[in-house]
Amino acid sequence: MKKIFVLLSSLIYSHLAFGAPAGTFKHMRAVNPKDTFNIKEENKKITFNYIHIHQFGNGKESCSYCHTSESPSSKDVKKINGELVCIECHQDVYKRIGSHLYHHKNIKNCTMCHDPHQSDNIAMLKGNGITVCMRCHAKNSKGYCVHPQGDKHLDPRNGQPITCITCHYTMGTDYKYLLKWNGESALCYQCHSPKRYK
């Protein structure tokens, strides 16, 4: 009960503090909930009525943390030493990227996958862990996953649906194909016990 109260208080505060600025952002959704690989990109209004929001300071003039003008848009996002303003708060992510062999090729374009304002998805992704990836990867033969994914296929470790980000980590890894572990065995053994295969 306490968690629900905290969540509702946070949402109400964020809406009152930030207001609802004009503008829209792009989000992905599955055209058919049973087919998460067929996606549609749609515009949604910025309202900050989402589970995850970027909340700065006391909510007043919070746009100025990332934007340079009084009428914020994607064209006036601050840069720090040539990098998006994201680096100011997310230095740990930038350090991780630099300390590993592999990372997503568009890693410095944070807003390609993450919504800078609001999201109902983990890590403020623009879609769930499948649709945000399929936006680009479904368009080529290398991008389609052969492992079952979606609501009917749950990760035995946490009970969550298996998605692209169950096995892949775009923010820096030492394994090919952005895998979280060695793809020859360690990755599979995270869910599939080696005892099953003896």
Side-chain angles (χ1 to χ4, degrees):
M1 184 69 177
K2 185 177 180 182
K3 288 180 182 178
I4 294 172
F5 175 75
V6 170
L7 176 63
L8 287 174
S9 298
S10 170
L11 289 174
I12 291 168
Y13 166 77
S14 65
H15 182 68
L16 293 174
F18 290 95
T24 60
F25 62 100
K26 298 237 182 251
H27 258 245
M28 272 53 68
R29 70 171 181 82
V31 173
N32 175 350
K34 294 181 181 178
D35 176 14
T36 54
F37 295 100
N38 184 6
I39 64 167
K40 177 182 180 182
E41 195 170 59
E42 61 187 12
N43 285 325
K44 288 196 172 184
K45 194 170 186 174
I46 297 174
T47 63
F48 292 106
N49 290 331
Y50 286 77
I51 294 172
H52 306 287
I53 60 169
H54 258 129
Q55 188 166 324
F56 301 106
N58 62 4
K60 294 178 181 172
E61 298 180 17
S62 58
C63 300
S64 64
Y65 278 84
C66 302
H67 296 276
T68 58
S69 77
E70 291 183 22
S71 300
S73 74
S74 60
K75 296 175 183 169
D76 73 342
V77 176
K78 289 181 184 175
K79 293 207 172 188
I80 298 170
N81 297 326
E83 302 284 352
L84 284 175
V85 69
C86 311
I87 193 172
E88 195 166 53
C89 296
H90 299 283
Q91 291 177 13
D92 57 325
V93 174
Y94 280 77
K95 284 178 187 171
R96 180 179 176 83
I97 293 165
S99 66
H100 291 277
L101 294 173
Y102 304 99
H103 54 75
H104 195 276
K105 68 179 182 177
N106 294 314
I107 198 71
K108 300 288 178 97
N109 184 2
C110 309
T111 58
M112 182 173 184
C113 301
H114 300 275
D115 189 281
H117 301 109
Q118 60 196 14
S119 177
D120 283 338
N121 300 297
I122 188 170
M124 290 187 68
L125 290 172
K126 287 186 173 183
N128 68 29
I130 298 172
T131 57
V132 74
C133 301
M134 288 297 109
R135 190 182 58 188
C136 297
H137 293 283
K139 296 173 184 171
N140 64 62
S141 59
K142 294 179 183 176
Y144 194 84
C145 182
V146 294
H147 192 284
Q149 296 184 38
D151 292 337
K152 291 185 179 180
H153 306 282
L154 303 181
D155 185 328
R157 299 167 299 170
N158 58 24
Q160 296 297 310
I162 292 176
T163 69
C164 305
I165 60 176
T166 302
C167 300
H168 299 275
Y169 191 67
T170 60
M171 310 304 277
T173 176
D174 289 328
Y175 304 105
K176 283 185 179 180
Y177 313 113
L178 305 178
L179 294 174
K180 291 183 175 181
W181 298 276
N182 179 332
E184 292 179 16
S185 59
L187 177 70
C188 304
Y189 290 162
Q190 296 299 312
C191 298
H192 304 282
S193 168
K195 294 176 185 176
R196 290 177 59 186
Y197 303 101
K198 288 185 178 180

